[in-house]
Amino acid sequence: MKLTLKKIELTPPQILVLGFAAIILVGTILLTLPIASATGVPHSFLNALFTATSATCVTGLVVVDTGSSYTMFGQIVIITLIQVGGLGFMTMATLFAFMLKKRISLKERLVLQEAMNQGSMEGIVRLIRKVIRYSLTIELIAAVIFSIRWSMDLGPAKGIYYGIWHAISFFNNAGFDLFGSVTGPFSSLTSYASDPTINIVSMGLIVLGGIGFIVISDLLDFRVSKRLSLHSKVVLSTTGFLIVVGAIVIFIFEFTNQKTFGPLNWSGKVLAAFFQSVSPRTAGANTIDIGGMRQASQFFTIILMFIGASPGSTGGGIKTTTFTTLVGATIAMIRGKEDIVLFHYRLGKDRILKAITLTMIALFLVIIVSMVLSTTEDHPFLMILFEVTSAFGTVGLTMGLTPDLSDIGKVMIALMMFIGRLGPLTLAYALGPKTEKELYRYPEGKITIG
């Protein structure tokens, strides 16, 4: 009797899910090696899995301090996972294909289209070339500035190493840092709260990584084209609005808080306000103690983390375009308008439905996981909600809960980081059944709303 095996055909979303899972598994194995541990005692599989997931999903939540708990080998593994996870494993695979002069197949182009959240395959390879070129250039410029600045404090060798490492981490919106071995575990950039160079360069990296490569490409081509796409206009205006409003709100709430802004001078307060407004856009670094912030600031930060970065970027969250679409739909409904109009362009109903679907899935995920962790973790609900939202938005900010997570908590937060990086819809498409075209439609019915 002859047995035949049916060839398994994977869809682009399934390839993305399996690809990220494979990278996380390889990273986990490497981080469990004794050579990766600063003490020589191997990290547990669960802690290594959590760290590898956080790095690959460019989040920054850590159960052990990166700078003091890992050797240089472990740190290089982590920063490699961040670079691959931030740009996307398909982008990195395409880079190697370019180097080997290999042709990009139709299947690979479809996966790239899904990874970059593009509506079509047109110009996708050209976009990937730009992504690689822009990313490496931005990281190199930031690495040079960081290296010069930190060489003054840490010496040339360590300053250069820290400069390169943090340029990659911050541009990819990862939030990982090595200052635990310098200023104490989990200290992040708190010792540089008033340093203009570190603050401005870090914020620049976070914003550039968060607005997306399509927007960066649009901005660089503006001198020739003299126009920006609707996508770029929405991303830039929404990003600017959220950063300015976020900085003002945090400045007002924290101005007299002795645990955060109190010890800083005026310029330090302004820098800290802007940094803590930019960082929740999925970056994860902090210059003040997040646990010491007032509850109003912490809850406002949760909102910023939930919105997140922009499509086609290294960040997570529901994305700025989704947020703007929902706001536009609300305003249109209040005004009695049928269409959502942004910059003299009408949005299609499919865009609106996708925005609503994505937001509802994200809300349900955050609510359900927060409820579960409320029973497994003995901490205040706001702290748990903050942690879950940070994981979903691949932000990496924490009020101090991460190191105290139970084993169940670590697994749940790791899953949230994974879902947040891939996107709820991509994961749903990957796990769901193959959709077929409907052959008929039901008659329209009416229900009372509101």
Side-chain angles (χ1 to χ4, degrees):
M1 189 186 215
K2 192 175 177 182
L3 292 173
T4 56
L5 292 175
K6 187 179 178 182
K7 187 179 178 183
I8 299 174
E9 284 289 334
L10 296 176
T11 62
Q14 289 171 338
I15 292 173
L16 282 179
V17 171
L18 292 175
F20 269 96
I23 293 166
I24 290 169
L25 181 60
V26 171
T28 301
I29 294 169
L30 292 174
L31 291 177
T32 54
L33 298 175
I35 193 176
S37 174
T39 61
V41 178
H43 290 284
S44 68
F45 180 83
L46 186 55
N47 283 353
L49 175 64
F50 189 97
T51 303
T53 304
S54 185
T56 307
C57 299
V58 290
T59 305
L61 291 174
V62 288
V63 287
V64 294
D65 181 69
T66 308
S68 58
S69 299
Y70 289 98
T71 60
M72 183 177 285
F73 173 82
Q75 293 167 6
I76 290 173
V77 169
I78 290 170
I79 203 64
T80 303
L81 292 174
I82 289 170
Q83 185 74 79
V84 174
L87 298 184
F89 77 95
M90 279 305 298
T91 304
M92 300 303 292
T94 306
L95 171 61
F96 287 115
F98 289 155
M99 293 168 65
L100 298 172
K101 299 191 183 325
K102 181 180 175 291
R103 187 175 173 275
I104 310 300
S105 68
L106 178 62
K107 184 78 171 180
E108 289 165 341
R109 289 168 191 260
L110 285 169
V111 180
L112 286 170
Q113 176 191 337
E114 181 70 28
M116 298 304 294
N117 203 14
Q118 293 297 288
S120 71
M121 286 190 299
E122 185 182 354
I124 192 68
V125 174
R126 187 167 62 253
L127 176 62
I128 295 301
R129 288 181 187 273
K130 288 182 178 180
V131 166
I132 295 167
R133 189 167 65 247
Y134 296 162
S135 300
L136 296 179
T137 302
I138 292 168
E139 287 174 354
L140 178 61
I141 294 170
V144 171
I145 299 172
F146 276 154
S147 297
I148 294 171
R149 174 63 187 86
W150 279 322
S151 290
M152 300 176 188
D153 297 341
L154 310 171
K158 199 169 186 178
I160 293 170
Y161 175 62
Y162 271 46
I164 296 171
W165 206 95
H166 290 89
I168 296 171
S169 177
F170 292 165
F171 175 71
N172 286 288
N173 280 213
F176 278 82
D177 70 272
L178 302 178
F179 284 95
S181 61
V182 179
T183 53
F186 308 108
S187 57
S188 192
L189 298 178
T190 50
S191 59
Y192 292 96
S194 299
D195 189 300
T197 303
I198 300 301
N199 275 266
I200 292 170
V201 175
S202 298
M203 286 189 286
L205 284 170
I206 293 165
V207 171
L208 287 172
I211 60 176
F213 301 108
I214 307 161
V215 179
I216 295 174
S217 177
D218 244 13
L219 289 172
L220 292 174
D221 293 340
F222 183 75
R223 286 185 303 172
V224 177
S225 64
K226 300 298 180 185
R227 63 183 295 274
L228 293 173
S229 66
L230 174 62
H231 172 81
S232 295
K233 289 177 181 177
V234 171
V235 166
L236 291 172
S237 57
T238 306
T239 300
F241 172 79
L242 290 173
I243 289 173
V244 173
V245 171
I248 293 171
V249 171
I250 292 172
F251 185 86
I252 293 171
F253 286 154
E254 296 299 314
F255 186 78
T256 57
N257 188 351
Q258 291 302 313
K259 295 178 182 178
T260 55
F261 283 19
L264 304 175
N265 56 27
W266 262 91
S267 61
K269 284 178 169 59
V270 172
L271 283 173
F274 272 99
F275 195 94
Q276 291 314 132
S277 176
V278 169
S279 189
R281 317 307 309 290
T282 85
N286 58 284
T287 57
I288 59 172
D289 177 22
I290 302 299
M293 293 172 73
R294 292 196 169 107
Q295 288 190 352
S297 302
Q298 291 167 345
F299 188 76
F300 183 72
T301 302
I302 289 174
I303 296 171
L304 293 178
M305 292 193 296
F306 186 76
I307 296 170
S310 302
S313 72
T314 58
I318 63 170
K319 304 296 192 294
T320 52
T321 48
T322 303
F323 171 71
T324 302
T325 300
L326 294 176
V327 171
T330 304
I331 294 172
M333 180 63 70
I334 291 172
R335 290 181 173 179
K337 304 288 185 183
E338 194 167 318
D339 297 324
I340 300 174
V341 179
L342 301 173
F343 295 98
H344 306 292
Y345 283 94
R346 173 175 54 86
L347 294 187
K349 283 192 167 46
D350 61 321
R351 302 290 93 188
I352 302 165
L353 288 173
K354 188 173 182 180
I356 294 170
T357 304
L358 176 61
T359 305
M360 289 305 295
I361 293 174
L363 271 174
F364 278 129
L365 279 169
V366 170
I367 290 169
I368 291 168
V369 175
S370 296
M371 287 171 64
V372 172
L373 292 188
S374 293
T375 62
T376 63
E377 315 301 316
D378 186 21
H379 287 85
F381 181 74
L382 184 62
M383 183 180 280
I384 292 170
L385 180 63
F386 194 101
E387 191 84 5
V388 173
T389 310
S390 180
F392 168 76
T394 68
V395 181
L397 292 174
T398 179
M399 290 169 61
L401 175 60
T402 319
D404 298 332
L405 285 171
S406 64
D407 287 350
I408 295 174
K410 290 175 185 176
V411 172
M412 295 294 286
I413 292 296
L415 281 173
M416 282 298 284
M417 291 189 287
F418 189 71
I419 294 170
R421 179 65 185 100
L422 286 166
L425 288 181
T426 298
L427 199 64
Y429 293 151
L431 300 177
K434 215 169 186 179
T435 55
E436 295 180 0
K437 190 174 180 181
E438 293 181 349
L439 300 178
Y440 59 90
R441 296 177 71 189
Y442 290 98
E444 183 179 334
K446 293 184 179 180
I447 60 173
T448 303
I449 302 294

